[in-house]
C-alpha cells in the first residue's frame, strides 16, 4: 500500500521501494498504463513535482522521495447537477462506489435533456461538497439493475481503473433470482454474445459474437415455487451478459421480460452485491458490499456480506 497525503489540489505520494530506479515515464507507462494523451497533459502542464521541484521524467526515482501530483483541479461540468439521494458505499479523494437504485440510468444519453441519472446525482453530491469535477464512470449497470457501481473522481484514477477493468482485475459479484431449479449447482457459462438483429436492444448467444464468460453458484432454491437464487461473477463484461447467459441456460431472471423471465415483479431481479478492486493510487484492496434496497422478500435468504 502506497503512502499518500492530500494537500489542496495536490496529492503527495512517497516513492515505494518497488519503484526504486524506475523513471516517472516508466511509472506512467508500465505501472499505471496511462494513455499517452493523459501522460502528455501531465508532462506539458507541469502537474508533477519531485520533492517540490519540477521532475525530470527520464531520471530514476528513489524510494522515500515525495512525488507531488496535481490531481484535484476544478473542471467545467459535463452534466447538469441534479439532486437525488445516493447511497455511498466507499469514497475517498480518488474513487467513489455507489449502491445504485433500480429504475435509474447510470449516465445521460443526452446531457442537455436527461438530468435524472446517477451521474447527475453524483455531480450534485460532489458540488455540494465543493468538488467541481467530472465523475468518470468505470463500468455500468442496466437501468433496472441495482447495486455497487464504481466511479473515478479524476482522470488518472479513471485511466488506471479502465485498464484494470480491461484486464479483468475488478471483480463484480451479482445475485439473481431466476425461474426454475438448476441440475448443476455451480458452473461456468462460456457462450459468445452478439446483437439480436431482430431487436434493437436485445442481445443473444451467437457464434459470431464476442467472448462472454459467466460463473454461477446456486445459493438457495425453492423447488415448490421453482425459484433459485444464484451468485454470478463475470470474466467478461458484455451488455446484458448475465441476463442473456441465464436465459440461455433455461433460467431467465425473474421480471426480465426481455429475456423470457416471468413478470412477477416490476424489474429484473438482478443486483450487483459485491465489488472488489485494488485502489488505483494506493493499491489498497477495496471490498464493497451493497445491500438490496428493494425486493427484500425475494432475496431474504441472502446475506450479501457473506458473499
Amino acid at each position: 500500500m502506497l503512502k499518500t497525503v492530500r494537500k489542496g489540489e495536490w496529492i503527495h505520494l512517497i516513492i515505494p521501494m518497488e519503484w526504486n530506479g524506475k523513471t516517472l515515464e516508466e511509472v506512467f507507462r508500465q505501472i499505471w498504463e496511462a494513455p499517452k494523451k493523459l501522460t502528455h497533459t501531465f508532462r506539458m502542464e507541469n502537474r508533477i513535482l519531485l520533492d517540490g521541484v519540477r521532475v525530470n521524467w527520464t531520471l530514476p526515482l528513489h524510494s522515500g522521495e515525495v512525488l507531488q501530483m496535481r490531481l484535484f483541479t476544478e473542471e467545467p461540468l459535463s452534466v447538469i447537477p441534479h439532486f437525488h439521494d445516493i447511497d455511498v458505499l466507499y469514497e475517498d479523494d480518488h474513487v467513489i462506489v455507489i449502491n445504485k437504485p433500480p429504475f435509474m440510468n447510470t449516465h445521460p444519453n443526452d446531457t442537455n435533456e436527461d438530468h435524472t441519472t446517477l451521474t447527475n446525482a453524483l455531480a450534485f453530491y460532489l458540488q455540494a461538497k465543493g468538488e467541481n469535477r467530472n465523475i468518470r464512470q468505470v463500468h455500468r449497470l442496466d437501468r433496472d439493475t441495482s447495486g455497487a457501481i464504481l466511479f473515478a473522481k479524476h482522470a488518472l484514477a479513471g485511466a488506471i481503473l479502465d485498464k484494470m477493468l480491461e484486464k479483468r482485475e475488478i471483480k463484480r459479484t451479482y445475485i439473481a433470482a431466476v425461474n426454475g431449479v438448476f441440475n448443476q449447482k455451480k458452473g461456468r457459462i462460456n457462450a459468445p454474445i452478439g446483437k439480436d438483429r431482430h431487436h434493437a436492444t436485445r442481445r443473444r448467444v451467437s457464434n459470431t459474437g464476442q467472448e462472454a464468460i459467466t460463473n454461477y453458484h446456486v445459493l438457495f432454491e425453492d423447488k415448490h415455487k421453482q425459484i433459485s437464487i444464484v451468485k454470478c461473477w463475470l470474466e467478461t463484461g458484455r451488455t446484458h451478459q448475465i441476463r442473456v447467459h441465464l436465459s440461455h441456460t433455461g433460467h431467465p431472471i425473474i421480471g426480465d421480460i426481455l429475456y423470457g423471465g416471468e413478470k412477477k415483479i416490476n424489474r429484473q431481479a438482478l443486483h450487483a452485491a459485491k465489488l472488489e478492486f485494488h485502489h488505483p493510487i494506493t493499491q489498497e484492496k477495496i471490498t464493497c458490499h451493497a445491500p438490496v434496497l428493494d425486493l427484500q422478500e425475494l432475496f431474504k435468504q441472502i446475506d450479501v456480506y457473506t458473499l
Side-chain angles (χ1 to χ4, degrees):
M1 179 174 169
L2 302 188
K3 295 180 181 179
T4 63
V5 177
R6 180 174 176 176
K7 295 187 178 181
E9 293 185 342
W10 297 77
I11 190 81
H12 290 208
L13 184 153
I14 308 298
I15 301 296
M17 282 295 298
E18 56 266 32
W19 291 9
N20 197 54
K22 288 188 176 295
T23 66
L24 186 57
E25 185 78 41
E26 290 171 327
V27 170
F28 267 74
R29 187 177 68 248
Q30 298 175 8
I31 296 175
W32 287 336
E33 299 183 83
K36 290 182 179 179
K37 184 177 179 180
L38 181 64
T39 303
H40 181 75
T41 298
F42 272 89
R43 198 168 192 161
M44 292 298 102
E45 295 182 1
N46 296 324
R47 293 195 189 183
I48 309 281
L49 303 177
L50 185 65
D51 289 335
V53 298
R54 183 175 178 177
V55 66
N56 186 320
W57 284 65
T58 61
L59 291 180
L61 301 170
H62 301 96
S63 59
E65 291 178 325
V66 179
L67 198 67
Q68 296 143 277
M69 299 186 291
R70 191 166 178 246
L71 298 179
F72 309 113
T73 55
E74 290 196 355
E75 301 171 297
L77 296 183
S78 60
V79 299
I80 297 173
H82 179 86
F83 173 76
H84 191 288
D85 279 326
I86 57 173
D87 182 14
V88 178
L89 301 176
Y90 176 86
E91 181 184 10
D92 64 15
D93 293 323
H94 311 280
V95 300
I96 185 168
V97 181
I98 302 297
N99 189 3
K100 176 189 169 297
F103 316 117
M104 190 179 205
N105 288 326
T106 304
H107 58 84
N109 292 317
D110 185 327
T111 55
N112 293 318
E113 298 293 332
D114 189 0
H115 306 156
T116 60
T117 74
L118 185 58
T119 301
N120 296 92
L122 273 170
F124 185 99
Y125 170 80
L126 292 177
Q127 189 178 65
K129 295 172 58 178
E131 298 183 41
N132 291 304
R133 288 184 279 121
N134 286 311
I135 205 79
R136 291 156 175 86
Q137 172 191 333
V138 178
H139 61 104
R140 67 184 297 272
L141 293 176
D142 294 336
R143 178 182 181 275
D144 291 351
T145 300
S146 56
I149 183 168
L150 174 62
F151 293 84
K153 294 173 74 173
H154 57 77
L156 180 58
I160 296 170
L161 288 168
D162 284 345
K163 184 60 68 172
M164 289 168 60
L165 186 70
E166 181 185 318
K167 295 165 68 177
R168 305 175 185 178
E169 294 174 352
I170 298 175
K171 185 176 180 181
R172 294 165 285 165
T173 303
Y174 296 76
I175 52 175
V178 304
N179 295 123
V181 175
F182 287 77
N183 292 324
Q184 282 187 289
K185 303 311 176 188
K186 58 175 67 176
R188 185 172 185 263
I189 307 167
N190 186 350
I193 291 176
K195 292 183 178 180
D196 187 334
R197 63 178 180 273
H198 302 296
H199 195 293
T201 59
R202 184 182 166 97
R203 300 295 191 273
R204 65 184 182 91
V205 169
S206 167
N207 290 332
T208 59
Q210 294 178 296
E211 179 190 32
I213 300 170
T214 303
N215 298 281
Y216 73 89
H217 181 194
V218 176
L219 301 175
F220 172 80
E221 61 184 23
D222 186 327
K223 293 182 179 179
H224 175 69
K225 293 182 179 180
Q226 285 292 294
I227 290 175
S228 298
I229 308 294
V230 294
K231 174 176 72 172
C232 300
W233 60 101
L234 305 172
E235 294 185 30
T236 54
R238 308 304 173 205
T239 300
H240 298 177
Q241 180 172 319
I242 294 175
R243 299 166 65 189
V244 173
H245 274 172
L246 289 176
S247 178
H248 180 67
T249 64
H251 301 285
I253 296 173
I254 294 170
D256 189 4
I257 57 175
L258 183 62
Y259 293 105
E262 294 181 11
K263 190 173 172 56
K264 295 180 178 179
I265 54 177
N266 60 355
R267 72 171 179 101
Q268 67 253 17
L270 180 63
H271 178 75
K274 185 179 180 183
L275 180 67
E276 301 167 87
F277 62 99
H278 282 93
H279 194 282
I281 303 300
T282 69
Q283 301 176 1
E284 175 187 5
K285 176 68 182 294
I286 306 294
T287 301
C288 296
H289 296 87
V292 181
L293 302 176
D294 64 342
L295 306 182
Q296 284 91 349
E297 183 64 27
L298 197 54
F299 288 115
K300 64 183 178 181
Q301 309 291 343
I302 308 302
D303 179 0
V304 299
Y305 294 97
T306 63
L307 295 175

